[in-house]
């Protein structure tokens, strides 16, 4: 049986979304106007009716622009006339939906607004593609940057909301887009690290080729089917500063699930942190899909085009700290390793030199982001440790801190250059912190010393009670206080030695995580984390 071309699959995927959005809008509008209490509410119920009607009209226009042959406009003049207007209205819908986000905490945000943003983005993505594909020619470059940006913002800002489309539709769209790009661009080539990447991945009941892509370097081929990634350079291992270890965390070799459960059971509800080696040696991220190779990460992020949210500044409690969303390739080239600019779609010319001067002393951190949910190709490179399916004890001192049981461990990514700092804080779950690339320093204080941690309060409308006022680096003399840092109300006249004398007496544990190490951080333990080199970590929260 012949396999449909990537273009045919892509057009079908886009147009089915437009038709589905049209029908969902109709269902929501019917529920809004119905006087029957048994009417099933639609997915947009809760949004204003004029907005639903506007979204439905755009979905209808996109559906009707093409004939049953999926690609030939019924009326080219009408197509050109409507294109810009439809694009503007979709941008307006996304803007209105996003403005509602500010009225709620994200966990309380009505899902209808998130879905309105997501579906407006899906329609815009489809329109961008269909505009390029309308003549069925390869004369113009695919509008990749704008297409990728549109869907990634829906994932990052709105969580890819929607049961019928949402994240699953977006993930499949990215896979199909890669296939179309390979077919349409004479300068594209498939990046392979082993034979596994040559296989198609079954998604949504259809076969989709999910091999990552990378534009071919001018000097030769870029095929990794034979050499893997061994010939590609790794991230630098340079460490500007390495703290001394005086009170080391207990270390052990890889533990089975039963051995770890026995350790928890013997702890009388107060397990200590523990560094475990050899637990993740078989991860693809540490073997044939090496995260320590910038070229590999670029191949998994659409040549660095995928967007990521990054924190600008040494620590989230420093003055001047900010956040922004940028392409992954830009993050690599400007903050991690400038040599990667030559191998991605982000080049550094004279304009880049001016930026470099401004960013010379800047640190950027991709921190506590669900990157592996956003990028399934990277998610397949890590395995959830069996230890996350044990039954750990509850919070040792504050039962009110215990959370509802998670159905699955929560995964977060932490990626940055040397000098990134996560200030002293505590988490509401047990944590396995896996060091995939580079090295990190971690210091830990027990929860029964919380009264000496100098907890922050509410700052700028945000509850910061899980974070300490203490800057461990400053107390130890490793760092100097940043602007506005280390000031406590009523203590302005106290010298540093007097101010932190009591804190220095608090018992703690510490360690340096090497590549492949896993640190178990029990619930309630305060911890300070410092990137020593270029570092990529994955944390697993569970309870």
């Amino acid at each position: 049986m012949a396999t449909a071309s990537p273009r045919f699959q892509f057009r079908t995927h886009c147009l089915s979304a437009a038709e589905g959005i049209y029908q969902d809008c109709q269902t929501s509008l019917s529920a809004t106007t119905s006087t029957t209490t048994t009417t099933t509410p639609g997915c947009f119920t809760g949004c204003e009716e004029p907005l639903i009607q506007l979204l439905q009209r755009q979905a209808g226009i996109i559906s009707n622009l093409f004939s049953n042959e999926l690609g030939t406009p019924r009326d080219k003049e009408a197509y050109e006339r409507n294109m810009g207007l439809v694009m503007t209205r979709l941008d307006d819908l996304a803007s209105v939906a996003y403005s509602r986000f500010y009225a709620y905490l994200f966990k309380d945000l009505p899902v209808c607004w998130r879905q309105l943003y997501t579906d407006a983005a899906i329609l815009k993505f489809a329109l961008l593609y269909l505009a390029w594909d309308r003549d069925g020619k390869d004369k113009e470059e695919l509008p990749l940057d704008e297409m990728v940006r549109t869907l990634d913002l829906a994932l990052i800002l709105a969580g890819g909301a929607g049961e019928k489309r949402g994240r699953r539709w977006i993930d499949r769209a990215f896979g199909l887009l890669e296939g179309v790009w390979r077919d349409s661009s004479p300068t594209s080539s498939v990046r392979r690290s082993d034979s596994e990447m040559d296989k198609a991945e079954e998604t949504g009941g259809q076969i989709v080729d999910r091999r990552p892509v990378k534009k071919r370097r001018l000097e030769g081929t870029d095929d990794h089917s034979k050499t893997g990634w061994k010939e590609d350079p790794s991230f630098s291992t340079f460490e500007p500063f390495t703290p001394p270890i005086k009170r080391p965390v207990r270390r052990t070799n890889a533990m089975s699930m039963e051995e770890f459960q026995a350790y928890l059971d013997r702890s009388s509800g107060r397990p200590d942190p523990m560094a475990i080696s050899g637990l993740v040696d078989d991860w693809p991220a540490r073997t044939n899909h090496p995260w320590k190779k910038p070229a590999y990460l670029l191949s998994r992020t659409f040549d660095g085009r995928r967007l990521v949210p990054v924190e600008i500044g040494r620590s989230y409690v420093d003055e001047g700290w900010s956040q922004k969303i940028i392409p992954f390739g830009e993050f690599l080239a400007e903050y991690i390793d400038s040599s990667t600019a030559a191998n991605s779609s982000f080049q550094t010319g004279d304009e880049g030199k001016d930026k470099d001067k401004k960013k010379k002393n800047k640190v950027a951190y991709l921190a506590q982001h669900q990157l592996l949910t956003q990028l399934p190709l990277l998610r397949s490179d890590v395995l959830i440790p069996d230890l996350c399916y044990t039954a750990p004890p509850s919070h040792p001192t504050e039962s009110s801190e215990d959370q509802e049981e998670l159905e699955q461990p929560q995964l977060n990514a932490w990626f940055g250059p040397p000098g990134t700092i996560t200030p002293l804080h505590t988490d509401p779950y047990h944590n396995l912190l896996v060091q995939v690339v580079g090295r990190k320093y971690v210091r830990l204080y027990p929860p029964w010393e919380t009264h000496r941690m100098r907890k922050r309060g509410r700052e700028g409308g945000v509850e910061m009670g899980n974070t300490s006022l203490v800057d461990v680096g400053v107390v130890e003399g490793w760092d100097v206080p940043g602007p506005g840092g280390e000031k406590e109300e009523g203590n302005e006249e106290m010298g540093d030695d007097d101010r932190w004398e009591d804190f220095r007496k608090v018992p703690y544990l510490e360690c340096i995580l090497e590549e492949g190490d896993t640190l178990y951080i029990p619930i309630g333990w305060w911890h300070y984390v410092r990137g020593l080199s270029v570092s990529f970590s994955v944390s697993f929260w569970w309870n």
Side-chain angles (χ1 to χ4, degrees):
M1 181 177 178
T3 303
S5 70
R7 284 191 176 190
F8 181 87
Q9 291 187 62
F10 202 110
R11 290 195 299 263
T12 302
H13 192 54
C14 291
L15 292 175
S16 67
E19 293 167 356
I21 292 170
Y22 185 93
Q23 291 300 324
D24 287 345
C25 287
Q26 187 60 48
T27 300
S28 296
L29 290 170
S30 298
T32 301
T33 58
S34 175
T35 57
T36 305
T37 57
T38 57
T39 302
T40 303
C43 57
F44 299 110
T45 302
C47 294
E48 284 95 336
E49 186 174 332
L51 295 176
I52 303 174
Q53 293 172 337
L54 184 60
L55 181 67
Q56 184 183 37
R57 285 198 294 274
Q58 310 322 303
I61 290 171
I62 292 173
S63 296
N64 291 328
L65 282 174
F66 291 83
S67 69
N68 293 332
E69 295 178 351
L70 298 175
T72 304
R74 291 193 179 99
D75 185 336
K76 289 189 176 182
E77 288 187 9
Y79 179 91
E80 297 294 345
R81 190 168 54 248
N82 288 332
M83 186 68 66
L85 183 58
V86 173
M87 196 74 74
T88 298
R89 285 173 173 168
L90 291 173
D91 285 338
D92 290 343
L93 280 166
S95 179
V96 170
Y98 186 59
S99 70
R100 300 299 196 274
F101 290 16
Y102 291 99
Y104 304 89
L105 294 173
F106 191 79
K107 65 183 181 65
D108 300 323
L109 178 64
V111 71
C112 67
W113 294 113
R114 293 171 50 215
Q115 177 144 2
L116 180 63
Y117 185 101
T118 301
D119 280 340
I122 287 174
L123 288 177
K124 179 179 178 179
F125 174 85
L127 193 61
L128 285 166
Y129 173 75
L130 296 175
W132 170 83
D133 191 49
R134 63 186 182 274
D135 295 323
K137 298 179 180 180
D138 300 328
K139 290 182 178 180
E140 298 179 40
E141 182 84 12
L142 262 170
L144 282 176
D145 291 352
E146 184 63 18
M147 294 176 75
V148 170
R149 173 181 172 80
T150 297
L151 288 191
D152 265 335
L153 287 178
L155 291 174
I156 295 169
L157 300 179
E163 294 183 3
K164 296 180 181 178
R165 290 169 298 278
R167 186 178 298 278
R168 283 187 297 178
W169 190 95
I170 291 173
D171 288 344
R172 177 163 168 72
F174 274 124
L176 291 170
L177 182 58
E178 289 177 353
V180 172
W181 183 42
R182 285 196 305 274
D183 283 357
S184 65
S185 175
T187 59
S188 68
S189 67
V190 180
R191 303 277 294 194
R192 302 182 179 93
S193 63
D194 56 31
S195 59
E196 179 271 333
M197 292 176 65
D198 290 327
K199 297 178 181 179
E201 176 184 325
E202 185 171 351
T203 305
Q206 298 186 42
I207 300 298
V208 185
D209 192 335
R210 299 298 296 271
R211 294 173 293 186
V213 295
K214 175 78 168 65
K215 286 200 171 182
R216 181 175 297 159
R217 295 182 183 139
L218 295 177
E219 64 268 23
T221 63
D222 219 11
D223 194 331
H224 288 69
S225 58
K226 296 180 180 179
T227 63
W229 303 87
K230 294 179 181 179
E231 296 180 3
D232 291 276
S234 300
F235 287 115
S236 169
T237 58
F238 172 70
E239 297 185 10
F241 170 72
T242 304
I245 301 298
K246 301 175 182 177
R247 305 176 187 179
V249 167
R250 172 192 171 186
R251 281 190 168 270
T252 186
N253 292 323
M255 305 177 74
S256 68
M257 185 175 176
E258 292 76 17
E259 290 171 331
F260 187 65
Q261 184 65 64
Y263 170 74
L264 297 176
D265 294 342
R266 290 195 304 267
S267 68
S268 300
R270 292 191 171 194
D272 285 335
M274 181 166 53
I276 308 170
S277 62
L279 193 65
V280 298
D281 287 349
D282 59 345
W283 277 16
R286 299 202 61 243
T287 55
N288 56 346
H289 294 178
W291 287 11
K292 65 182 179 180
K293 305 284 188 178
Y296 176 75
L297 294 178
L298 287 170
S299 79
R300 292 303 212 188
T301 55
F302 222 131
D303 200 18
R305 290 179 173 85
R306 297 299 300 269
L307 300 186
V308 290
V310 298
E311 302 177 355
I312 307 299
R314 184 188 67 113
S315 165
Y316 66 74
V317 296
D318 285 355
E319 187 175 280
W321 176 89
S322 63
Q323 295 175 294
K324 66 178 182 178
I325 297 174
I326 60 177
F328 185 83
E330 181 181 337
F331 174 58
L332 277 188
E334 296 187 354
Y335 296 100
I336 306 291
D337 184 349
S338 60
S339 67
T340 61
N343 298 325
S344 75
S345 57
F346 300 91
Q347 304 295 328
T348 302
D350 294 336
E351 180 182 343
K353 292 178 182 177
D354 294 335
K355 288 183 179 180
D356 287 342
K357 291 179 182 178
K358 296 178 182 178
K359 295 178 179 177
K360 185 176 181 181
N361 297 317
K362 281 287 188 181
V363 174
Y365 198 14
L366 196 166
Q368 198 167 339
H369 173 52
Q370 294 185 349
L371 181 71
L372 307 186
T373 301
Q374 181 191 351
L375 302 175
L377 290 176
L378 285 180
R379 172 64 183 85
S380 63
D381 291 342
V382 306
L383 308 172
I384 296 178
D386 289 344
L387 308 192
C388 290
Y389 297 101
T390 53
S394 57
H395 196 290
T397 61
E398 294 290 340
S399 59
S400 61
E401 296 292 325
D402 289 323
Q403 307 294 311
E404 292 185 11
E405 184 173 353
L406 297 172
E407 293 184 6
Q408 290 290 330
Q410 290 185 5
L411 281 65
N412 283 306
W414 310 78
F415 182 33
T420 56
I421 290 174
T422 303
L424 191 60
H425 70 287
T426 184
D427 296 323
Y429 299 97
H430 293 265
N431 184 7
L432 289 180
L433 179 62
V434 178
Q435 191 65 21
V436 185
V437 178
R439 304 206 312 162
K440 271 183 175 171
Y441 170 86
V442 185
R443 180 177 290 196
L444 306 108
Y445 294 86
W448 41 93
E449 298 290 352
T450 293
H451 62 287
R452 302 164 76 180
M453 291 295 104
R454 303 199 180 207
K455 295 167 63 173
R456 292 173 178 266
R458 195 168 185 83
E459 300 178 6
V462 179
E463 179 53 53
M464 298 282 287
N466 74 324
T467 303
S468 172
L469 281 164
V470 180
D471 187 326
V472 172
V474 171
V475 171
E476 290 293 343
W478 306 336
D479 303 315
V480 296
E486 296 300 311
K487 294 293 184 184
E488 291 183 84
E489 188 175 349
N491 283 342
E492 289 81 359
E493 302 303 320
M494 293 182 70
D496 283 344
D497 289 341
D498 294 332
R499 195 205 265 159
W500 306 123
E501 182 179 359
D502 181 60
F503 181 80
R504 289 193 179 97
K505 297 177 183 178
V506 180
Y508 64 85
L509 297 171
E510 61 187 342
C511 69
I512 290 180
L513 289 179
E514 307 282 351
E515 286 189 1
D517 282 350
T518 300
L519 178 63
Y520 166 53
I521 305 175
I523 186 172
W525 277 71
W526 293 78
H527 46 290
Y528 162 93
V529 186
R530 184 185 190 101
L532 303 181
S533 63
V534 172
S535 170
F536 205 149
S537 314
V538 179
S539 61
F540 298 83
W541 280 1
W542 94 102
N543 58 7

